[in-house]
Amino acid sequence: MELDVLTAGSAARPVVVAVAARVSRLLLLLTAVAVGSFVLMVNSPVDPVAAYVGADVASLGSAQRALIAERWGLDDPAHERFLSWFGNLLGGDFGFSLTFNRPVLEVIGDKFLTSLALMALAWLLSGLVGFALGLVAGTRRGRFADRAITWFSYTLASAPTFWVGLLLLYVFAVSWNWAPVCCAVPIGVPADEVGLGDRLAHLALPAITLSVVGIAPVVLHTRQAVVEALASDHVAFARAQGERGLGLVLHRVVRNAAAPALLLQFGSIGELFGGSVLAEQVFSYPGLGAATTAAALGQDVPLLLGIALFTTVLVFTGNLVGDRVHAALDPRSRLVDVRRKR
Amino acid sequence: MRRSARFRAAAVAVAGIALASCSTEAHRASGGRPVELRLAIGGESEEGYDPTLGWGRYGSPLFHSTLLARDADLNIVNDLATRYEVSPDRLVWTVDVRADAKFSDGRPVTARDVAYTFTAASKSGGATDVTVLREAVAVDEDTVELRLTKPQSTFVNRLVSLGIVPEHAHGPDYARKPVGSGPFVFEQWDEGQQLIVRRNDAYYGAKPAFERVVFVFTGEDASLAAARSGQVDLAALPSSLATGEIPGMRLTRVESVDNRGIAFPFQPDEGRRTDEGRPIGNDVTSDLAVRRAVNVALDRRALVDGVLNGFGRPATGPVDGLPWHEPATAVPDDDPEGAKRVLEAAGWVDADGDGVRERGGRRAEFPLLYPAGDSVRQGLALAVADMLKPIGVAVTAQGESWEVIRTRMHADPVLFGWGSHDATEMHNLYSSAQAGVELWNPALYRSPVVDAELDAAMAAADPGQAAAHWKAAQRQFGPGADAAWAWLVNLDHTYYADACLDLGKLQVEPHGHGWPITRGIAGWSWTC
């Protein structure tokens, strides 16, 4: 009884401290990202007014340029613009996107919902396919299946996302006419007539393209973990007791192999976002990636900063969850953590 | 066993995709004339469809009607206006508005709506320049007075491009729910994907032949894919992708004033710098003989054939093919012998026999800057260097970022691209008042004669009078006189159009690609 109270007390304090440490680390990170992104954007060679106006820039007089600059607040010194933006941010106001003529939060919310379907599907695909292939390769080490899967993974790892996208687009949409060439909804169909099947059909190619980013590392790490697990004492012991084949892999190996795969999967959310910028561009898929491109080309500073902060939180959360899940699956990593802290 | 199950799952998924995409084929397979048109020509206005922020300044504003319009020959014709006149002091434009026009919500278009639109646009800080407007007043039910702060003949372009919005419905959501009096009515906009518009049956003008038009906002690769798979009827593609046949479609080339030319630094190098510390002047290109020799020596036809794969035409000036273009400024080119004579007469001789002429210890050489990453401009710069070598002028093509080009453009020649239906651009490129402002008149060209003509053109009472002054200015800055720039080529814009789609007569298009082709969209028809 006494012991329980003691352990409960000593456990609770570190949890609070750990959460506080994480939160303050996130806040520091966000501030650094905001300052860094802002400095980069202010020093970018893109002239925001020219980017906004487009091709007809030479027919605009200087008075109109001044009006635009005033509407955009470009006249104020950079540090004042940053501080006023930051002040508004603390009050919960993310500013106004000039590219989309809407509040930044609305734009991010809208676009992220579209991207979420794409990224989640791609994430699941790459995780499941990668893990399955890794298991097969690991258990068939040195055999044909292993060599084929490893070769496939290296090919994927070195293939640029947009190139894979173009290839899929060409084969499935243009040559065979099986898949739509673009967009998240069918061309020319009123919004209320768009069904779930339509949406899935439009999601398939971009999601497959995007999942390619994540498959290779999961395959290779899973394969390594499987190989290690198969060589370990506990598997040798199970074998000695007569366990064989699928049962052995499912009961003795999968859990060990899943830990690094999950850690990688959660850690790859940043890359997933980077890949979505390209995949969405190729398939004209109107998500956060496409919005990022539009904002960057148009020097839409408030929107870019908003997206930078949003993705920071996303990646940070992904890594955090990955750590926790990894620790839960593989208690040894927790021991390492504890040892390091002391 | 396990493997076959996986294969079956894949086959089911593929079949599902195939079924779902069948619906996209419906508009073609049904036979007969399609009632719906699908275009992949880019041009999405991400900030929405509010003319007072600049929507509609290229091509057709679709949902909105404009006071005036330009026909296929770029002549000004009436649209919503029945008449317009400019006061003798050129400060007041009086426009009569037709009485039978209605907004798509059923309310009539009044002179007050016109006045409101111009006032809103002049204050909006958007992409359309109405800053010269002092005030817009509806003097009666169907007459508007647009009062300017100074005479400006190019103000007519605002009457051509500014779509009229209803005062009663122009609120914060307007850009996403536009209401207008144009040939089409806004139906649905899936941001980043497509815009669906419906024919406006209450439109006062000739009604479009298609009930619905869908604009698909795809990138270049997806546009090509959409054209190849028969999912769109018209696709705008860069000429580099316009190779090869697409069954059922024909390649349409549209002439443009989307030009490329070399700006020669006009001032001699006297060690001066701008306020930002940028160097000014070039002792080679400030010599008239060099600028003329370059203009004469270049083979522009070869540039079009070699660099543009034939998708273009030689350029004689910045406004080729527009009503204010002066064709007489063209000089015979591809004449290296003539160029050599010009250089020799000016004292540029190759005394040391290294293939490059010199004069007074100064070698006839200069770099030619172009934005790195622009493959067309790179090709042009390299070809120009090759063509000038035989006449003893050494050119080094240098790809740089715009940031670097901005700092060097007053001292080194730069390959620029311009082209607009608004003659204000010519004023901005050659007027000494715009020297060193933004990217305009980067060469710091100064000519009192040209300044006087440009100012007279801007202050002229009507487009015809203005054109006379625009032409006079070209005769002075053109290759036969000051040879301030060496204009090289005008690009052709390339489209794949369904073989059955008749686009009518097309305008010479401005710089930029895609949307300008929609100018005559209300008159497009299906021919088979």
Side-chain angles (χ1 to χ4, degrees):
Chain A
M1 189 67 198
E2 218 172 277
L3 199 70
D4 277 0
V5 171
L6 267 177
T7 44
S10 61
R13 210 178 52 89
V15 167
V16 172
V17 172
V19 169
R22 293 276 187 186
V23 170
S24 55
R25 207 188 295 171
L26 176 61
L27 289 179
L28 269 178
L29 182 66
L30 285 176
T31 317
V33 165
V35 174
S37 320
F38 188 83
V39 168
L40 278 178
M41 280 171 233
V42 167
N43 291 308
S44 134
V46 180
D47 171 8
V49 177
Y52 167 69
V53 177
D56 226 13
V57 62
S59 38
L60 242 62
S62 39
Q64 185 63 24
R65 294 185 73 95
L67 258 184
I68 298 176
E70 189 190 316
R71 177 161 79 103
W72 287 42
L74 295 175
D75 295 337
D76 309 333
H79 65 276
E80 271 179 34
R81 282 164 63 198
F82 182 76
L83 286 179
S84 82
W85 173 82
F86 198 72
N88 290 341
L89 188 70
L90 293 181
D93 175 8
F94 277 70
F96 197 79
S97 159
L98 291 139
T99 320
F100 293 95
N101 194 20
R102 284 167 87 191
V104 165
L105 269 189
E106 261 183 42
V107 176
I108 295 182
D110 258 22
K111 306 283 174 183
F112 180 64
L113 275 186
T114 324
S115 280
L116 189 63
L118 173 63
M119 285 165 67
L121 193 59
W123 188 77
L124 279 176
L125 264 179
S126 67
L128 294 178
V129 173
F131 188 62
L133 289 180
L135 274 183
V136 173
T139 50
R140 317 282 297 173
R141 183 154 79 119
R143 313 278 264 291
F144 174 75
D146 177 33
R147 288 209 303 277
I149 290 172
T150 319
W151 175 83
F152 177 64
S153 306
Y154 283 128
T155 312
L156 284 191
S158 47
T161 312
F162 75 94
W163 183 80
V164 173
L166 285 178
L167 212 63
L168 291 175
L169 188 69
Y170 188 79
V171 173
F172 290 98
V174 179
S175 295
W176 296 351
N177 230 331
W178 283 3
V181 291
C182 81
C183 317
V185 291
I187 299 174
V189 176
D192 46 3
E193 290 171 23
V194 178
L196 187 63
D198 288 329
R199 291 191 185 279
L200 282 178
H202 284 78
L203 209 50
L205 283 191
I208 293 172
T209 306
L210 188 50
S211 70
V212 162
V213 179
I215 287 185
V218 175
V219 172
L220 297 174
H221 279 86
T222 308
R223 178 184 176 276
Q224 187 60 27
V226 169
V227 168
E228 271 172 27
L230 283 174
S232 67
D233 292 345
H234 77 272
V235 171
F237 182 67
R239 278 203 172 121
Q241 289 191 321
E243 277 194 62
R244 287 281 180 276
L246 199 61
L248 179 80
V249 173
L250 285 181
H251 297 132
R252 309 287 164 194
V253 175
V254 166
R255 181 172 160 140
N256 293 44
L262 279 168
L263 183 64
L264 271 172
Q265 263 310 86
F266 283 101
S268 73
I269 287 178
E271 287 161 45
L272 202 63
F273 180 79
S276 79
V277 173
L278 296 171
E280 291 182 8
Q281 213 59 34
V282 171
F283 292 97
S284 312
Y285 196 88
L288 203 54
T292 312
T293 318
L297 292 178
Q299 276 280 295
D300 189 344
V301 176
L303 181 56
L304 271 176
L305 287 177
I307 293 177
L309 294 185
F310 180 78
T311 45
T312 308
V313 174
L314 203 67
V315 172
F316 186 88
T317 316
N319 286 337
L320 190 64
V321 173
D323 273 358
R324 295 295 97 185
V325 171
H326 186 242
L329 276 176
D330 190 349
R332 286 173 301 177
S333 66
R334 213 162 15 186
L335 285 178
V336 175
D337 264 8
V338 173
R339 243 180 269 136
R340 207 187 297 139
K341 264 174 203 149
R342 283 172 188 165
Chain B
M1 177 64 203
R2 291 179 65 77
R3 184 176 298 171
S4 71
R6 205 187 299 152
F7 268 112
R8 209 176 306 144
V12 168
V14 165
I17 294 169
L19 278 178
S21 63
C22 279
S23 63
T24 64
E25 285 295 285
H27 91 294
R28 286 258 199 135
S30 57
R33 301 193 165 202
V35 292
E36 182 178 298
L37 200 57
R38 293 177 175 180
L39 319 174
I41 54 172
E44 179 174 28
S45 172
E46 272 130 355
E47 64 171 347
Y49 300 92
D50 184 348
T52 64
L53 287 176
W55 159 247
R57 66 190 188 281
Y58 301 125
S60 155
L62 287 182
F63 325 112
H64 303 95
S65 42
T66 50
L67 293 174
L68 303 172
R70 281 192 195 279
D71 66 11
D73 299 316
L74 297 170
N75 298 312
I76 304 244
V77 292
N78 287 335
D79 191 337
L80 198 56
T82 52
R83 195 181 63 89
Y84 81 98
E85 65 176 29
V86 185
S87 67
D89 64 0
R90 289 148 203 190
L91 288 175
V92 182
W93 292 52
T94 309
V95 185
D96 287 347
V97 184
R98 61 192 300 153
D100 59 345
K102 282 196 171 62
F103 288 113
S104 55
D105 62 0
R107 308 260 291 259
V109 182
T110 65
R112 288 189 44 153
D113 291 311
V114 175
Y116 169 79
T117 302
F118 275 81
T119 310
S122 70
K123 294 180 178 146
S124 73
T128 187
D129 187 348
V130 197
T131 48
V132 74
L133 185 77
R134 185 162 57 83
E135 59 178 353
V137 182
V139 289
D140 60 38
E141 264 308 288
D142 58 1
T143 312
V144 186
E145 278 187 17
L146 304 168
R147 299 169 188 161
L148 309 189
T149 53
K150 62 172 193 243
Q152 194 187 80
S153 66
T154 55
F155 189 67
V156 76
N157 289 304
R158 299 293 81 78
L159 277 66
V160 167
S161 62
L162 184 58
I164 302 305
V165 302
E167 182 173 11
H168 62 267
H170 191 246
D173 297 334
Y174 183 81
R176 293 191 143 63
K177 296 248 173 276
V179 172
S181 50
F184 292 97
V185 185
F186 178 91
E187 187 168 300
Q188 178 182 323
W189 175 30
D190 300 325
E191 283 184 46
Q193 305 181 71
Q194 60 175 341
L195 170 70
I196 306 177
V197 302
R198 195 176 71 235
R199 179 167 60 200
N200 180 4
D201 287 316
Y203 180 53
Y204 56 84
K207 291 183 187 54
F210 299 93
E211 275 172 29
R212 285 177 8 130
V213 181
V214 181
F215 295 85
V216 190
F217 302 124
T218 41
E220 289 169 355
D221 296 306
S223 295
L224 180 61
R228 278 196 187 285
S229 59
Q231 300 188 24
V232 295
D233 305 303
L234 177 70
L237 290 168
S239 55
S240 55
L241 287 181
T243 50
E245 295 273 304
I246 298 181
M249 300 195 103
R250 78 191 128 74
L251 182 61
T252 305
R253 300 160 57 144
V254 183
E255 285 193 348
S256 83
V257 65
D258 193 343
N259 50 37
R260 301 291 180 268
I262 303 170
F264 293 120
F266 190 74
Q267 312 284 336
D269 181 5
E270 288 160 351
R272 288 178 302 135
R273 284 176 181 269
T274 63
D275 295 343
E276 296 97 1
R278 299 169 178 173
I280 291 177
N282 184 310
D283 282 337
V284 179
T285 61
S286 62
D287 183 22
L288 175 63
V290 172
R291 297 197 303 271
R292 277 196 185 158
V294 170
N295 263 296
V296 170
L298 293 173
D299 182 354
R300 291 171 172 82
R301 189 72 244 168
L303 292 176
V304 169
D305 293 338
V307 181
L308 305 183
N309 297 317
F311 290 111
R313 58 202 166 108
T316 60
V319 292
D320 284 10
L322 303 183
W324 43 94
H325 172 222
E326 171 60 279
T329 58
V331 289
D333 65 0
D334 188 19
D335 180 12
E337 294 310 315
K340 284 180 195 166
R341 283 197 297 278
V342 171
L343 288 172
E344 252 146 46
W348 292 95
V349 284
D350 183 11
D352 55 7
D354 66 347
V356 180
R357 293 168 188 274
E358 56 273 336
R359 184 178 74 179
R362 171 97 37 209
R363 282 161 60 87
E365 63 182 1
F366 52 80
L368 175 54
L369 309 184
Y370 64 90
D374 182 334
S375 59
V376 169
R377 290 192 214 197
Q378 180 183 37
L380 289 172
L382 291 171
V384 164
D386 280 349
M387 287 176 182
L388 296 182
K389 201 173 172 197
I391 67 164
V393 174
V395 176
T396 326
Q398 277 181 25
E400 294 287 356
S401 68
W402 275 115
E403 198 177 31
V404 171
I405 291 176
R406 273 169 193 275
T407 63
R408 292 176 56 183
M409 64 185 179
H410 307 317
D412 293 312
V414 180
L415 231 171
F416 278 101
W418 298 100
S420 170
H421 283 173
D422 186 342
T424 311
E425 184 180 279
M426 201 197 314
H427 176 270
N428 286 342
L429 291 186
Y430 286 99
S431 162
S432 60
Q434 304 291 8
V437 179
E438 306 297 335
L439 289 174
W440 311 327
N441 193 355
L444 308 184
Y445 172 67
R446 273 174 213 282
S447 157
V449 183
V450 169
D451 280 348
E453 294 293 352
L454 294 177
D455 290 344
M458 289 294 275
D462 64 77
Q465 201 189 88
H469 290 292
W470 292 125
K471 288 179 181 181
Q474 289 165 61
R475 285 194 291 274
Q476 185 59 33
F477 66 61
D482 284 346
W485 289 55
W487 291 97
L488 304 176
V489 293
N490 295 294
L491 313 185
D492 278 350
H493 290 163
T494 42
Y495 302 87
Y496 277 105
D498 194 292
C500 290
L501 181 62
D502 180 9
L503 302 174
K505 189 173 183 226
L506 295 165
Q507 284 177 339
V508 172
E509 296 189 349
H511 189 88
H513 202 169
W515 201 264
I517 202 173
T518 61
R519 178 207 57 90
I521 189 170
W524 292 359
S525 59
W526 202 258
T527 56
C528 22

